[in-house]
Amino acid sequence: MFVQVIQGKVKDADLLARQSERWVAEIKPGVKGYLGSTTGVTPDGRAITIARFESAQAAAANSGNAQQTAWWNETAKAYDGEPTFVDCTEIDTLFGGGSDDAGFVQVIQGRAKDQAAMRKEVTSMETALRTERPDILGITMAWHGTAGDFTQVVYFRSEAETRQAEKAKENDELRRRYESLFAGPPTFFDLRTPLLD
């Protein structure tokens, strides 16, 4: 799998939502190797899109399409300045990855103390998470090269259920193990009205 992360400050969230829906309706049918996407805007106006493809080649073929270019030129107007693009070739998934049934999505960006150790440890937590966090529907973790930077996308049934579970588990062993893997405090993107495909 190949993941592209697009993010930036947004000045027109409605335009971004309309363009995201338009892409699914008009451009997606002709795109080969596209697996899905998650788009959302945080309450403070930060937009993030996680687009999943079968390969970097499939993503590049889509980017080179004239219809895609015209669509992007219009979509770019939704951003306040230039958004950033990060290509990720190393991807981990838990519970099958993304879920269109999610009512709330949280994106976590940070850096691992040790990328290989974190990948192994997070994967080993899947069984325990299934039992302890039934509010989680899926997780996709995209690595930005080899320096340990990552974007983790967690799909939840609802924000209310998630906040309740977080409060109940704030001091448990699983959470402490997870947080001990970070090199520093991560950045969170709370997507309360995610656009899922």
Side-chain angles (χ1 to χ4, degrees), residues 59-154:
N62 176 58
S63 295
N65 179 301
Q67 190 180 15
Q68 170 73 18
T69 301
W71 172 86
W72 175 252
N73 289 340
E74 186 62 27
T75 304
K77 297 173 184 175
Y79 292 90
D80 185 6
E82 289 292 319
T84 60
F85 293 76
V86 177
D87 293 340
C88 308
T89 55
E90 292 188 79
I91 315 297
D92 298 315
T93 60
L94 280 71
F95 310 163
S99 173
D100 287 344
D101 296 326
F104 173 63
V105 173
Q106 189 170 69
V107 180
I108 304 160
Q109 288 186 324
R111 175 171 284 184
K113 288 178 185 172
D114 179 321
Q115 181 169 326
M118 185 169 182
R119 292 185 77 178
K120 185 176 178 182
E121 185 72 6
V122 168
T123 303
S124 75
M125 293 178 180
E126 185 168 9
T127 301
L129 278 172
R130 280 189 189 278
T131 303
E132 295 191 27
R133 293 295 302 271
D135 57 311
I136 297 176
L137 299 175
I139 299 173
T140 297
M141 196 154 190
W143 294 92
H144 310 180
T146 57
D149 294 327
F150 64 84
T151 295
Q152 183 179 47
V153 191
V154 189

Side-chain angles (χ1 to χ4, degrees), residues 11 39 41-43 55 60-61 74 88 110 131 135 156 164 172 184-185 187 189:
K11 62 184 177 185
T39 297
V41 178
T42 63
S55 65
E74 186 62 27
C88 308
T131 303
D135 57 311
F156 299 97
Q164 188 175 9
D172 80 335
T187 300
F189 297 76

